Amino acid sequence: NVSGAVKYPGDYSILNPDETIYSIIKRAGGLKYNAYPEASRFIRFNKTVRINLKKIMKNKRSGQNFFVEEGDSIFVAVTTNIIEVSGAVRAPGNYKYMKGKRISDIIKQSGGLSPDSDKRNIFITYPNGYSKQYSRFFRNHKVKDGSIINVGFKEEREPFDSTEYFKDITSILANVAQALSFLIIAKG
């Protein structure tokens, strides 16, 4: 089954054992003008298989272009022009995609990091399902249409309670002293 942004979506018979993703897409009339191959999906046995449809359509000999089987589905996504920012930012939500922007630009656009954000737990998930971690200096990746940026929250930790700590230590020492006194009485 081929659905989404192709000229002739529908069910296609496998004509020979050499049918590939590329040949099925071609039989479906090729990609429409608004197709977004980077966000497209290939599904086999109800599991999404990550492929790079853009590479496949540029080069039918690509290692990503594999043989199709009965029951496979190909979904060709449409360009959305939207990115999503979620998690510990001041204004999470959907934003218009602008070409050339990086993760830090989009975080600024969403109001910046909130006080409870975990700066080491920022990830971008691309429309093809691949995910990359953000780092201010070395991994400030470009954002693609349909990407999701997730900023993690700091782990909540209970403050150190010295009274509770000493109460636990005292209890442990009392148990050890009691065990030692039983041993001394038992030997005596």
Side-chain angles (χ1 to χ4, degrees), residues 99-156:
K99 190 174 183 172
K101 296 290 182 183
R102 295 192 175 269
I103 295 172
S104 61
D105 301 322
I106 303 305
I107 289 174
K108 284 178 193 169
Q109 184 180 352
S110 64
L113 299 173
S114 66
D116 57 347
S117 67
D118 181 357
K119 294 176 181 139
R120 293 171 300 189
N121 191 9
I122 301 173
F123 288 87
I124 182 168
T125 303
Y126 291 105
N128 63 4
Y130 290 107
S131 184
K132 293 183 178 180
Q133 188 171 14
Y134 164 78
S135 169
R136 213 167 96 194
F137 300 108
F138 303 110
R139 295 183 300 255
N140 188 12
H141 305 285
K142 283 190 178 178
V143 176
K144 293 183 178 182
D145 183 16
S147 296
I148 299 169
I149 298 170
N150 189 330
V151 178
F153 290 91
K154 285 181 186 171
E155 190 176 309
E156 287 188 35

Side-chain angles (χ1 to χ4, degrees), residues 1-10 21-22 24-26 28-43 51 53-54 56-57 73-80:
N1 179 273
V2 181
S3 60
V6 291
K7 291 182 182 162
Y8 308 108
I21 294 170
Y22 177 87
I24 292 288
I25 297 283
K26 283 298 185 185
L31 302 177
K32 284 184 168 180
Y33 72 94
N34 61 343
Y36 190 32
E38 289 94 331
S40 300
R41 293 186 304 272
F42 178 81
I43 300 162
I51 60 168
L53 190 57
K54 185 176 183 179
I56 292 170
M57 297 313 293
S73 295
I74 302 167
F75 172 74
V76 180
V78 175
T79 304
T80 62

